[in-house]
Structures are given as structure tokens and as C-alpha cells.
Amino acid sequence: MTKPKTMMHDIKVLAAGKYVPDRIVTNDDLAKTVDTSDAWIESRTGIKERRIASIETSADLAYRAALDAIDRYQIDKNLIDLVIVATITEPQKTPSTANMVQGMLGLSHEVMSFDINAACTGFIYALEVASSLLINNRFRHALVIGSEKLSSVVDHTDRNTCVLFGDGAGAMIIAKDHDQSSDACFYNAARHDHEDALVVKDVIQMDGRKVYQFAVGIMEQSIRRILDDSGMVMDDIDLIVPHQANIRIIESVAKSMDLPIEKFMINIRHYGNTSAASIPITLAELMAGIKHVMKRVLLVGFGGGFTWGSAILTIGGTR
Ligand code: ACO
């Protein structure tokens, strides 16, 4: 089956925000509880530290990231009529995390709110769903969040996984762009024949090498696919915002595509892998840094399932 090419959506990004818990757990801290070292973790992953939540749930993290976006870009929260949270660490099955956030923000009862689980690709999936609902004029302003409390599903005695993950959330508010000065397009996909590579039941179980090999190939393919579908070339893209799972994965993709590493926005050093939150946290930092300059960014992610996806968005500018 050949998937139809993506369409360009007239979507603008109004705001982005992030929240990470205050508590920093360094590699040296972890070396006190498992047989590992700062040198091993940094050289194999690029991670130096991660944030770990205590009593906060992924809904609390999502709420704080949403508030950051609303406050930072002075958005009237009453305009929001759609809330989607991408997460694999929801505090409970129901109410959904998005529904909790709706309540915490005091949004109207007319809002539609629900969660999406596509592992680490969840935020790109959620953006595509939100964008389609906006384009169809069913909704006007979507709050899209990626939020994870991965420390709640990590086996803290397993050195193969506990060094990799962190907690945090990133949020974005998007709307239909009636001026048609910004656009967005998406490519999302999945397969189910690699459950043994990454599964989260009570805790995360992972075959790191399998995930690594898959990630390097699929990230390159997803980048090429969205460029091809959108009719753009790499020179049309200012920055690539990849899922932050391992700096070596990103470096391999850069090398294989003959791209300078500076083309990739990387912050894994401070947060580790925050799954569905990693791309929106990075985007929020990027957007806060560029202020009024408009940039075209390419998002690319992969996750358990496997799932994978990419998107092209315009961010920044005087809005
Ligand atoms: N400290 C010290 N030694 C360790 C540690 C640790 N924290 N973890 C593993 N080791 C050991 C292993 O036991 C192994 O020892 P052995 O050779 O005696 O068996 C050795 O280090 C090398 O292990 P490798 O698996 O070869 O290490 P590798 O270089 O592949 O790095 C890693 C492992 C970091 C997990 C890498 O494979 C990786 O990043 N994979 C992708 C992971 C990923 O992206 N996961 C999430 C994707 S989806 C999502 O984000 C939810």
C-alpha cells in the first residue's frame, strides 16, 4: 500500500512552553546506586544529567508546560478548544491526562481532550491529529503536549535502562493560519514486529542495540520522506529537531546524510530521553531563543512499536 503524500496544512504555532522537575540527577548520582560511571554514560549516550519528578505526575508536568506556553506568549487560555496529550506514563487510564490538564487549566466544557500513545513519536502523531482537526474547522486552537514521568516505569536497578530516561513535558498551541504565511506537513507510520526491542509493561524493557540500529535507519528515511512529500530540500530547513534518545544516533544520522551536526538541535545532555516530551521540550527552548525570527524546522522521531514520524513546521516570527 502506498500512502498518499502529505498535504501542506495552513497551521501556525502560537506558543510553546516546557516544564522539567527541579530535581537534577547526575550520572555520578546514578553511579552510587548501579554499576555505571559518568564516563560510560556520557560517551555512550551524550547524557550528563536528567530531571526526576517526586510527587508530580505526568499530568502535573503537562499542566506546568501548558502554563509556560500560555504565560510566555500571552495566550488567552479560553481560546483553547482541543487538548491532546501524548504520553506513555499517564497517571491512570481515566480520566485521561489531557482531561486532567483541561480541568487544571479551568478550560470550558466545550473542549475535546484525549491522550495519544505512540511512544516517543507521540508528539508528532498528536500534532498531525490536532492539525487535521483544525484544518477541518472543527476546532480553533489546539493545545498539544508531550509529557512523561518515565521515572515511574524505569527499573532503577537496571543499568541498561535507568541511565537513559528522564521526566519532563513540552507544550505547543497551534491554530489555523488564515494568512497562509505558515504551513505544516506530517508523515507518521508504525509497524508491529519488534515488540521485543522495546516494551513497557510494569517497567521499560529494551534491547538497546536493536533500537539503536532501527533508529538510525528510520530517522534518515523519515527525514527524506517528509522532504520528498513536501517538495522541499534540506536547504529549505533551518534546523532539525530530533527525538533525543542518544547523541550517537543523531550523529550517525548526520554523518550518513552528510549534514553538519549543527543542523540538529540537541539538548539530551541535560534531560536524557524524555520520550514523547523530548521534541516539544526542545522546540520550546528553540522558540524561546529565536524570538521574532521565523524558522522552518523538521521534527523527526521514533519509538516503541515501532512507531516513527516526521513533520515540517514554521515557528517564531512576530505573532
Ligand atoms: N554502565 C556501564 N555499562 C553498561 C551500562 C551502564 N549504564 N549499560 C550497559 N552497559 C554494558 C553492557 O552490559 C555491555 O556489557 P557487556 O559487553 O559485558 O555485555 C556493554 O556495556 C556494552 O553494551 P552495548 O549494548 O554494546 O552498549 P551500546 O554502545 O549499544 O550502548 C545503549 C547501549 C546506550 C542503550 C545504546 O544501545 C542505545 O542508546 N540504544 C538505543 C536506545 C534508545 O534509543 N531507546 C529508546 C528509544 S524509544 C524511546 O525513546 C522510548
Side-chain angles (χ1 to χ4, degrees), residues 41-54:
I41 301 170
E42 192 178 0
S43 65
R44 297 294 177 113
T45 69
I47 301 166
K48 201 68 184 158
E49 60 192 29
R50 71 284 296 141
R51 302 299 183 100
I52 301 294
S54 50

Side-chain angles (χ1 to χ4, degrees), residues 88 118-123 148 198 243 273 275-276 278-279 301-304 307:
I88 56 167
C120 308
T121 324
F123 185 75
E148 301 288 9
L198 181 64
H243 170 44
N273 178 348
S275 189
S278 94
I279 289 175
F302 64 92
T307 60

Side-chain angles (χ1 to χ4, degrees), residues 133-195:
L133 289 166
L134 292 170
I135 290 303
N136 287 333
N137 294 315
R138 275 285 293 126
F139 298 90
R140 303 253 179 243
H141 292 84
L143 169 61
V144 185
I145 305 173
S147 182
E148 301 288 9
K149 184 177 182 178
L150 290 166
S151 59
S152 66
V153 289
V154 157
D155 175 353
H156 295 277
T157 64
D158 175 12
R159 70 176 181 172
N160 291 296
T161 52
C162 77
V163 303
L164 302 175
F165 299 99
D167 301 335
M172 197 169 243
I173 299 170
I174 60 173
K176 189 167 174 177
D177 184 8
H178 297 283
D179 306 335
Q180 302 182 328
S181 57
S182 315
D183 45 34
C185 59
F186 304 92
Y187 162 65
N188 281 300
R191 61 197 273 182
H192 180 77
D193 50 5
H194 280 85
E195 192 175 313

Side-chain angles (χ1 to χ4, degrees), residues 18-27 29-30 47-56 61 64 147-152 154 156 162-169 267-275 277 281 285:
K18 69 158 203 209
Y19 176 75
V20 290
D22 291 336
R23 186 170 156 231
I24 298 174
V25 174
T26 65
N27 293 344
D29 293 331
L30 289 176
I47 301 166
K48 201 68 184 158
E49 60 192 29
R50 71 284 296 141
R51 302 299 183 100
I52 301 294
S54 50
I55 53 167
E56 293 162 305
L61 306 181
R64 299 286 288 266
S147 182
E148 301 288 9
K149 184 177 182 178
L150 290 166
S151 59
S152 66
V154 157
H156 295 277
C162 77
V163 303
L164 302 175
F165 299 99
D167 301 335
N267 59 10
I268 190 170
R269 185 176 176 81
H270 300 295
Y271 307 124
N273 178 348
T274 56
S275 189
I281 289 175
E285 292 187 342

Side-chain angles (χ1 to χ4, degrees), residues 68-183:
D68 184 43
I70 289 167
D71 292 345
R72 192 180 286 271
Y73 294 88
Q74 298 179 332
I75 303 290
D76 175 0
K77 68 176 185 180
N78 296 313
L79 294 174
I80 296 168
D81 51 2
L82 173 64
V83 182
I84 307 180
V85 176
T87 186
I88 56 167
T89 50
E90 66 282 350
Q92 65 278 311
K93 291 285 171 214
T94 189
S96 70
T97 317
N99 184 246
M100 306 269 293
V101 171
Q102 174 186 351
M104 289 186 231
L105 286 173
L107 301 182
S108 129
H109 295 175
E110 292 295 311
V111 167
M112 180 161 84
S113 56
F114 60 94
D115 290 357
I116 279 185
N117 174 345
C120 308
T121 324
F123 185 75
I124 307 181
Y125 270 56
L127 268 186
E128 174 160 15
V129 172
S131 171
S132 304
L133 289 166
L134 292 170
I135 290 303
N136 287 333
N137 294 315
R138 275 285 293 126
F139 298 90
R140 303 253 179 243
H141 292 84
L143 169 61
V144 185
I145 305 173
S147 182
E148 301 288 9
K149 184 177 182 178
L150 290 166
S151 59
S152 66
V153 289
V154 157
D155 175 353
H156 295 277
T157 64
D158 175 12
R159 70 176 181 172
N160 291 296
T161 52
C162 77
V163 303
L164 302 175
F165 299 99
D167 301 335
M172 197 169 243
I173 299 170
I174 60 173
K176 189 167 174 177
D177 184 8
H178 297 283
D179 306 335
Q180 302 182 328
S181 57
S182 315
D183 45 34

Side-chain angles (χ1 to χ4, degrees), residues 9 14-15 28 34 45 48 52-54 65 94 106 131 143 163 171 207 218 238 249 256-257 259 289:
H9 292 187
L14 300 177
D28 286 330
V34 288
T45 69
K48 201 68 184 158
I52 301 294
S54 50
T94 189
S131 171
L143 169 61
V163 303
D207 179 336
I218 207 69
D238 294 305
I249 294 176
S256 143
M257 297 189 74
L259 293 171

